[in-house]
Structures are given as structure tokens and as C-alpha cells.
Amino acid sequence: MSNHVYRLSEVVGSSPTSVDDAIRTAIRKAAQTVRNIDWFETQEIRGQVVDGDIAYFQVRMKIGFRVED
């Protein structure tokens, strides 16, 4: 493994379906404008409750992307 340098960015993904979908939505959207995303780390999971049921899942995460040479 080469020596890499990473930058971190914090994003929040949301989904009415699941935590997994919220994570994937955030990564896909970030990848549209950020190159070299290599990893993510979840920081917080929360959600919105409406009428006694889960309406939305939200996941706050850090994404790590390689700094180009």
C-alpha cells in the first residue's frame, strides 16, 4: 500500500427507506463532485418520526478522499 494523504469532508445522507440507503445516497451524490473517495465513517444515525412511524433516516458521516499528487 502506498503512502496516501486524505482529506475529510462531512456529509449527511437521508432516506425514507433505510440507514443503508441514506449512506449510499450520500456517497453517490458526493462522488458527483469529489474525486478519489476511498472510505467513509458513520458519525451519527438519527431519524424523523411522524405519527408514530419512521419517516426518514439520516446518517452523518465523514468521507475520506485521496489528495492528488
Side-chain angles (χ1 to χ4, degrees):
M1 181 174 184
S2 299
N3 295 335
H4 291 140
V5 173
Y6 293 90
R7 290 196 68 147
L8 296 175
S9 185
E10 188 171 88
V11 297
V12 176
S14 64
S15 168
T17 308
S18 67
V19 169
D20 180 71
D21 191 51
I23 292 169
R24 292 177 188 279
T25 298
I27 296 295
R28 285 186 193 115
K29 187 67 174 178
Q32 290 176 3
T33 57
V34 178
R35 293 189 308 268
N36 303 320
I37 297 174
D38 281 348
W39 55 270
F40 71 93
E41 174 185 352
T42 59
Q43 301 289 298
E44 178 181 21
I45 298 172
R46 62 180 178 260
Q48 178 186 24
V49 177
V50 175
D51 296 328
D53 200 5
I54 297 172
Y56 266 90
F57 297 89
Q58 289 185 327
V59 180
R60 182 171 59 98
M61 68 185 93
K62 290 183 180 176
I63 56 173
F65 53 97
R66 273 180 286 117
V67 176
E68 294 179 341
D69 293 333

